[in-house]
Amino acid sequence: MSTTTPAGFNRTIPLSRAADPKIRDALAAGRLGAFRRAWLKSLSKPRRRAQRRLSEKTWLALWSVNTTELADRERHFATALEAITPLKAAKKPTRRSKKPSRPAPTSLDQALTEWSSAVTGRPAPWETLAVAEVLFRVGEHLKAETLTSCLAVLARGFARSSQANLSHATAGESLSEKTNPIDCEVPWVTGLLLSPLNGATKLQRSGQTLLQQLLRDSTDSRGLPTGDSIRSLPNVLRTLARATAWARIFHMPLWCDFEPHLQRLVEAATLLQVPPQPASSESAADVPPSPASSLLPVLQQLLDDDSASHPARFRKLLKK
């Protein structure tokens, strides 16, 4: 792993006046363990909400692992995540076991160590989201040096991406056709993750603007998917679902006036998942499986709304 001193990390992302004094003191003293505890404590409330709201069987970032072009470094890290669920990462060996299996956090530490050592510039969007999710959800099971080094890598990407994102994150302007939906997530998620250090409000606002524009570009005036967006709709929904999950976990507003658009889009996408009903039982075998079955957990996440804005019948459709 590339060594990351507390002072070096502090230069990578200067602390704001609103930063927790314990975080500031830990970095100044070079106590990485104390820094990790303080950073995790500052995120304790959203992390508890994540434990209640997110499945322990998978990582949200893996929704896009087969639909995004990944570099070799990203593919290697994705393989590690596929083998280590959040539940396994947090599992402790039992005392009764004579030969306890190797703790999953060790493997995660190794994967993150290799990742942080391999990144020399700005990390790619998918790996940024994946590493951010791991640090946030199971950070207490990682070595302090590992967590700090990975945060430093994300902070460098955070600082560089802020200039690019803020330059074109203007409300009302359509996104480029080449824009990958995941690109719209990066400033939003990274800003929330690093908020205990510097507030990251500029990146959060940039991410909010980009995500709202992505939603607007993908729907018509009624909130229904446009014909041009049907092909990219699955990837758009994955991005909207992850971004919404982070917003709910952090209790941060995201969609605001566009909430009705999101609701109608989710309901329309849910109806598209319902397979055609056979005319008779004999023809049931001829009905092909839903081609977008991988979207079921995505839509379930979007329908899991505390405000119960979606009618119950849409949740029932996904359970059939």
Side-chain angles (χ1 to χ4, degrees), residues 222-241:
R222 298 169 296 172
L224 300 177
T226 62
D228 295 338
S229 69
I230 290 296
R231 176 175 296 182
S232 62
L233 184 59
N235 285 336
V236 169
L237 288 171
R238 293 182 180 100
T239 282
L240 301 184

Side-chain angles (χ1 to χ4, degrees), residues 188 204 207-209 211-212 240 243-245 247 252-256 258-259:
W188 175 251
Q204 291 175 29
Q208 182 183 40
T209 300
L211 289 164
Q212 288 181 355
L240 301 184
T244 300
M252 293 292 293
L254 175 57
W255 302 115
C256 304
F258 295 96
E259 190 71 40

